[in-house]
Amino acid sequence: MAEFDLRAIAEPVDPIGLKAVGLVSVAALVLAAPFLASEYWINAIIVPFLILSLSGLGLNLVTGYAGQLSLGAGAFMMVGAYATFALQLRVPELPLPLALIAAGLISGVVGPVFGLPSTRIKGFYLIVSTLAAQFFFEWLFLKFPWFYNGNSSATIALSRGLSFFGLNANGAHGRDYLTLGIVALLTWLSFNLIRSQTGRNWMAIRDMDTAAAVIGVPVLRAKLQAFAVSSFILGIAGALWALAYLGSASVQSFGLHRSYQILFIIIIGGLGTIRGAYLGAAFVSLLPLALDWLFQYLFSGQVDAGLLQNIEKAIFGILIIWFLIREPEGLSRLLALRRTAAVAFFLRNPFLHFLKQEPEP
Amino acid sequence: MSTSATPALEIKNVSLSLRGVKAISDLSFQVEKQEICALIGPNGAGKSSLLNIINGVYIPDGGEIVFEGERFQRMQPIEAARRGIGRGFQNNALFSGMSVIDNVIAGLSRHSHVTLVEEMFRLPRALREERDFRERAGAVLHLFDLDKHARTPVGTLPYGVQKKVEMARAVVGEPKLLLLDEPLAGMNAGEKKEIAAVIQRLNAELKLTIVLIEHDVGIVLKLAHHVVVLDYGRKLADGPPETIRDNPDVIAAYIGSEHAVAA
């Protein structure tokens, strides 16, 4: 049997058949989830996980694909949330889906404004510009009561609940499907985009921007497009976070810690991969819950509850560090290597030889 | 034909300083249409800097570039690409996170006309363009005998193969002028022969004007129609290969330098 390069077979687009089976089974599982899971599961686990995945996806487009480091994810989520609130409040005839799209567009215009410095500065310096967005919007939405309609707690909440083309989306199932539908649609659109010329332009700029310009990639336009699409998605994610998950939100819901959280999600999941956002969001949102459940099960009643919580946080932190040392390229890469090892095993096994597929031309 | 009189490229009195050091001083020469022009000279002679000026990465201190009859004091890199100046780099400047075919398709960016929204929703125009780009990239991969590597991540390939991918990326956009910086460096004898043949084909069949930098003088003298010798940023000699070979200045510049004149 000829030797083959493990890395080389890890990356080529795998047989579409496998991908379709995976997608269909995930879709079936997710659609069935509202009937399998309790309301607690939906409200506290599935919905936030989906929205965090969507946020990770949005940030991954600009940071993972186009290589523009951003710490402004929270800011663009905030813009989307406050824009949706303002539109629903002041233009009540606008149905929620259109309000969400409009809020996404507003955020999608704001993003490139703070991305403009990326045409002159790179890497860590760009963080300053995106941090400016973070602080500016925290200030703006607190300073002017118009943005939160002057209520005493300075929070935003929908007065008449969620409805989607006349369908009531207030219950756990309604919110789940609303979130799921939006996340699925935006994932599909992002996927199309990164496999098109725009996506190639982004990755070219990320990998070597001088060469990209010389071979004819419109560097400036592509960077601003990356900021626009990214903040469009982040804006919609922010609106969902405020209205479908939290119910009522404030600027603290989208503070700097949120920006860090979204950045961690894509670093842990895998920069520049679509699935990385989902894997990272699962890691960040589900692992603490699993730890909590495990510790409650093992030590409940024997150890002080506050101490237990701190131990959980410490273990979570240690897991992140251990994991990033083992696989700096994130969960997505880890998964690809596992799959490659599995494929290699099958290829070596003469009885399973019929599974071997020639790569498409 | 009246245009045949216009050279493809004119370098007129170009000077360049890099961090206070004079890299090119008052350099002038012409490249005729459809010729292969070789730039030779020891390391640090200013060859790569000159290519960087031609496609807009460096701004010259003085002088001008005339490309197809139009004069420029400086050109943005994207503008150079749009006007049809293709470029291969000395140390591979490939997009390491992408597959071979995606690297090559990235070279077609200047021909892309679809909008972001069309791409997002996979509208017919976007699909048509994608199919067209894949076909064009596939044809160029075939020309360089890279078909079997199309899906491979470019970073995993050996240096010589990467070099070919880089040339494919430069050629796919159908440039009028192709600048190649040491396209044969780091290749074994067989690969050198293969690439030299491809360069000759690009020139003969696609009517491509080519400016290349190469140290292997033996190959240069066989390949080029026109040789320009640089040393310390100045032009030492300029003419057909036969006259360069016997030029005493050239021989003097090469003796004692690290590059022996290879047979």
Side-chain angles (χ1 to χ4, degrees):
Chain A
M1 174 124 237
E3 281 299 311
F4 39 79
D5 182 5
L6 281 189
R7 278 177 66 92
I9 52 175
E11 291 305 334
V13 179
D14 60 356
I16 289 305
L18 263 180
K19 216 155 220 178
V21 170
L23 273 179
V24 168
S25 45
V26 167
L29 201 69
V30 166
L31 283 175
F35 301 101
L36 303 174
S38 69
E39 286 217 353
Y40 165 78
W41 262 80
I42 294 169
N43 287 336
I45 297 169
I46 297 178
V47 168
F49 158 71
L50 284 171
I51 302 173
L52 285 176
S53 304
L54 183 64
S55 316
L57 179 70
L59 184 65
N60 220 344
L61 293 183
V62 76
T63 298
Y65 282 98
Q68 308 302 307
L69 197 48
S70 166
L71 254 182
F76 303 126
M77 291 174 79
M78 200 178 339
V79 171
Y82 276 78
T84 310
F85 173 71
L87 287 165
Q88 287 287 78
L89 183 75
R90 297 192 164 80
V91 198
E93 43 298 339
L94 199 67
L96 181 66
L98 293 184
L100 277 175
I101 292 172
L105 290 175
I106 291 171
S107 176
V109 170
V110 167
V113 172
F114 286 89
L116 264 178
S118 72
T119 58
R120 304 302 295 269
I121 53 178
K122 290 178 195 172
F124 282 106
Y125 299 97
L126 190 58
I127 286 185
V128 178
S129 167
T130 53
L131 263 181
Q134 185 70 45
F135 293 124
F136 172 72
F137 286 111
E138 280 186 38
W139 169 82
L140 182 76
F141 293 138
L142 262 184
K143 173 82 181 167
F144 299 102
W146 186 86
F147 288 111
Y148 51 89
N149 203 26
N151 70 36
S152 55
S153 57
T155 55
I156 53 169
L158 283 190
S159 50
R160 55 203 166 85
L162 293 169
S163 79
F164 209 82
F165 291 122
L167 293 172
N168 180 352
N170 286 308
H173 290 189
R175 284 191 280 169
D176 185 41
Y177 282 129
L178 173 72
T179 310
L180 190 63
I182 291 171
V183 172
L185 178 67
L186 289 176
T187 304
W188 180 67
L189 295 179
S190 307
F191 195 68
N192 290 343
L193 206 51
I194 57 129
R195 301 185 84 184
S196 65
Q197 197 67 13
T198 301
R200 281 186 285 266
N201 288 347
W202 289 349
M203 291 184 267
I205 292 167
R206 173 194 66 190
D207 289 346
M208 195 153 292
D209 56 353
T210 313
V214 167
I215 66 156
V217 171
V219 173
L220 191 127
R221 195 181 75 200
K223 278 182 182 172
L224 295 182
Q225 280 176 333
F227 272 99
V229 177
S230 164
S231 47
F232 174 80
I233 292 176
L234 282 165
I236 291 181
L240 290 174
W241 188 256
L243 306 173
Y245 171 53
L246 295 175
S248 84
S250 67
V251 291
Q252 278 86 37
S253 318
F254 305 103
L256 191 54
H257 70 282
R258 185 71 57 214
S259 296
Y260 275 118
Q261 186 188 30
I262 310 298
L263 188 62
F264 287 159
I265 284 176
I266 61 171
I267 290 174
I268 291 169
L271 288 168
T273 60
I274 293 277
R275 62 167 179 241
Y278 290 88
L279 296 171
F283 190 94
V284 163
S285 69
L286 303 185
L287 191 63
L289 289 170
L291 278 178
D292 188 49
W293 177 84
L294 184 73
F295 273 59
Q296 292 300 332
Y297 179 76
L298 292 176
F299 305 111
S300 178
Q302 301 159 36
V303 186
D304 173 59
L307 181 65
L308 211 55
Q309 270 195 344
N310 285 334
I311 294 175
E312 281 170 32
K313 279 184 188 151
I315 290 182
F316 182 59
I318 291 167
L319 277 175
I320 290 181
I321 295 168
W322 170 80
F323 163 74
L324 284 179
I325 290 170
R326 268 212 62 188
E327 189 47 71
E329 287 182 58
L331 284 165
S332 176
R333 177 94 194 125
L334 206 63
L335 214 67
L337 290 175
R338 288 268 168 283
R339 194 181 60 205
T340 307
V343 170
F345 172 79
F346 281 124
L347 291 185
R348 254 183 238 116
N349 191 327
F351 299 107
L352 295 165
H353 206 72
F354 62 90
L355 281 172
K356 185 176 177 179
Q357 285 184 325
E358 291 302 324
E360 297 166 56
Chain B
M1 222 163 71
S2 63
T3 52
S4 63
T6 338
L9 180 73
E10 278 179 84
I11 311 293
K12 283 188 172 173
N13 310 102
V14 166
S15 301
L16 175 77
S17 306
L18 289 174
R19 293 188 204 93
V21 179
K22 221 96 194 108
I24 296 173
S25 15
D26 202 23
L27 180 68
S28 302
F29 68 93
Q30 291 189 355
V31 180
E32 301 303 325
K33 281 192 174 144
Q34 294 175 32
E35 75 173 8
I36 298 179
C37 170
L39 298 177
I40 62 172
N43 279 336
K47 306 180 301 291
S48 296
S49 303
L50 180 65
L51 294 196
N52 278 335
I53 291 175
I54 298 172
N55 56 22
V57 179
Y58 290 163
I59 309 165
D61 303 334
E64 58 183 17
I65 306 286
V66 185
F67 177 59
E68 307 223 303
E70 281 194 78
R71 338 179 139 250
F72 299 93
Q73 303 227 290
R74 88 148 299 190
M75 212 187 304
Q76 294 287 340
I78 178 89
E79 178 66 21
R82 283 207 188 109
R83 288 180 181 271
I85 303 180
R87 168 78 188 262
F89 293 86
Q90 180 175 9
N91 300 308
N92 289 336
L94 288 165
F95 307 129
S96 53
M98 296 159 72
S99 67
V100 167
I101 193 156
D102 280 344
N103 263 277
V104 175
I105 299 176
L108 282 164
S109 260
R110 74 185 182 101
H111 296 290
S112 176
H113 300 292
V114 301
T115 62
L116 193 119
V117 174
E118 285 174 299
E119 291 177 333
M120 265 187 157
F121 289 95
R122 294 171 66 80
L123 297 182
R125 246 163 55 95
L127 291 180
R128 223 176 305 133
E129 187 182 277
E130 179 75 21
R131 204 162 44 234
D132 173 46
F133 279 9
R134 280 197 182 275
E135 272 168 25
R136 286 160 84 169
V140 174
L141 286 183
H142 188 70
L143 177 69
F144 285 90
D145 193 22
L146 287 166
D147 313 56
K148 61 177 180 294
H149 298 299
R151 297 291 191 93
T152 316
V154 76
T156 62
L157 291 168
Y159 182 81
V161 182
Q162 288 193 16
K163 209 79 197 172
K164 291 206 285 183
V165 177
E166 227 213 331
M167 276 181 70
R169 187 182 68 180
V171 166
V172 74
E174 292 170 16
K176 294 175 194 147
L177 170 67
L178 182 61
L179 312 173
L180 296 173
D181 201 341
E182 300 194 21
L184 308 177
M187 293 190 164
N188 61 38
E191 288 172 324
K192 277 189 182 181
K193 231 175 168 174
E194 183 193 340
I195 293 300
V198 173
I199 292 174
Q200 238 151 7
R201 272 184 69 191
L202 290 173
N203 174 249
E205 291 171 21
L206 303 178
K207 314 271 181 234
L208 211 55
T209 312
I210 298 172
V211 175
L212 60 87
I213 296 172
E214 188 46 59
H215 282 302
D216 189 331
V217 177
I219 287 188
V220 165
L221 295 179
K222 270 185 237 153
L223 197 61
H225 307 123
H226 172 196
V227 179
V228 175
V229 188
L230 299 183
D231 195 18
Y232 294 109
R234 291 173 195 283
K235 189 165 81 175
L236 215 56
D238 180 357
E242 309 82 62
T243 65
I244 297 297
R245 194 176 0 210
D246 310 318
N247 187 317
D249 289 339
V250 178
I251 295 166
Y254 268 87
I255 286 173
S257 83
E258 56 186 295
H259 304 289
V261 179

